[in-house]
Amino acid sequence: MAGKRKQKTRTVHVNAGAGYDVLIREGLLSYAGEETVKVCPKAGKAAVICDGNAFFPHGEPVEGDLYDAGLSCAQFVLEPGEDHKNVSTYAELLAFLADSHLTRDDVVVALGGGVTGDMAGFAAATYLRGISYVQIPTTLLAMVDSSVGGKTAIDLPAGKNLAGAFCQPSLVLCDPLALRTLPEDVFRDGCAEVLKYGVLYSREFFLELKALMEGKDAAKGPKYALRNYLEDIIETCVTMKRDVVEKDEFDRGGRKRLNLGHTFGHAIELCSGYRISHGKAVAAGMAVMSRAAVKKGYLSEEDARLLEETLRLYGLPTGTDFTAEQLAQAARNDKKASQRTIDLIVPRGIGACDIVRIDMADLQEWIEAGLAW
Ligand code: GLY
């Protein structure tokens, strides 16, 4: 193994739960076993819960590496897609962990995108009242957002992420090389979350992301254009998220800002029966919200158009065909909605957003305002 480490590993420490590191470096997947046993020294077994799409490029090498580090592996391959993130798959996962005789000293390894991380995390959070888990995200979306911060969940028929737990992982390993095999379209989903961090916290970061899609490599698509900047991009997003999570682990205050575009985005996903992916829905949700923010006097039209233009550069949608009535009905089922009011994340500039509590009765009008100019 000596000599394999060429670059410096970037480490973002998250002081939540027992505290854990997010490690970022090209080639890190080859160290999955070594890094896992460092944080779970008593583990004898790893239950690898892997997305069907991630298994072929990554499943066997990661399991081989865990094995080399002294862990025996049990394997559960998930059907890909949000429509499997449900109670019945969750029950299968619990049965798998029990049948594999995992003990409290052992570890669950979530290998895949956001759906895998959410479900494996929830199974780990609840099996034996909680065992350790390691996140190995294989999509950009999961690297910059869902693998960090300890939100685990499954969907219920009434809406997304309606059953879950806050449970921080023991370690997150982000290897940008894993993104090479990601379909362009799935990579774009992650770009929506990356752009979200710019809208929330940094105009400078947002403009850098825009410039990358205006440069010489842009014609080949975001995956190619961003390929040499992924460690920086992931580190920047994870650091921003870490700062938020450390202040508000349980999503009672500032962490709600991370839901920019999500209230309307979840509604779009739900209305589409999850045929519209999370990233595309969040992109459209951010655009709807920003147009509404202009009409309600929070945001300049110039900044809203800047957001639209940048989403388009990334090949992301800026609108939806669902009606305000359909979307409002779906959003009312969102878990973040209390009975009479709902918190919206409203941009007041690229780089700054407010949490605005509105009456539920006004939600449809906000959506209507944002559907078009
Ligand atoms: N994905 C939003 C959050 O972790 O709070």
Side-chain angles (χ1 to χ4, degrees), residues 145 148 151 241 255 258-259:
D145 193 62
V148 180
K151 276 190 180 175
K241 180 153 189 183
R255 184 168 180 172
L258 296 176
N259 290 318

Side-chain angles (χ1 to χ4, degrees), residues 93-111:
L93 281 176
L94 292 180
F96 155 71
L97 296 177
D99 293 346
S100 307
H101 307 292
L102 248 74
T103 72
R104 280 211 166 134
D105 288 335
D106 294 326
V107 60
V108 168
V109 174
L111 180 64

Side-chain angles (χ1 to χ4, degrees), residues 99-149:
D99 293 346
S100 307
H101 307 292
L102 248 74
T103 72
R104 280 211 166 134
D105 288 335
D106 294 326
V107 60
V108 168
V109 174
L111 180 64
V115 169
T116 304
D118 280 7
M119 277 208 295
F122 188 42
T126 47
Y127 175 71
L128 300 181
R129 300 195 179 88
I131 68 169
S132 300
Y133 73 105
V134 170
Q135 289 272 18
I136 308 185
T138 59
T139 65
L140 180 61
L141 189 150
M143 288 186 195
V144 298
D145 193 62
S146 59
S147 67
V148 180

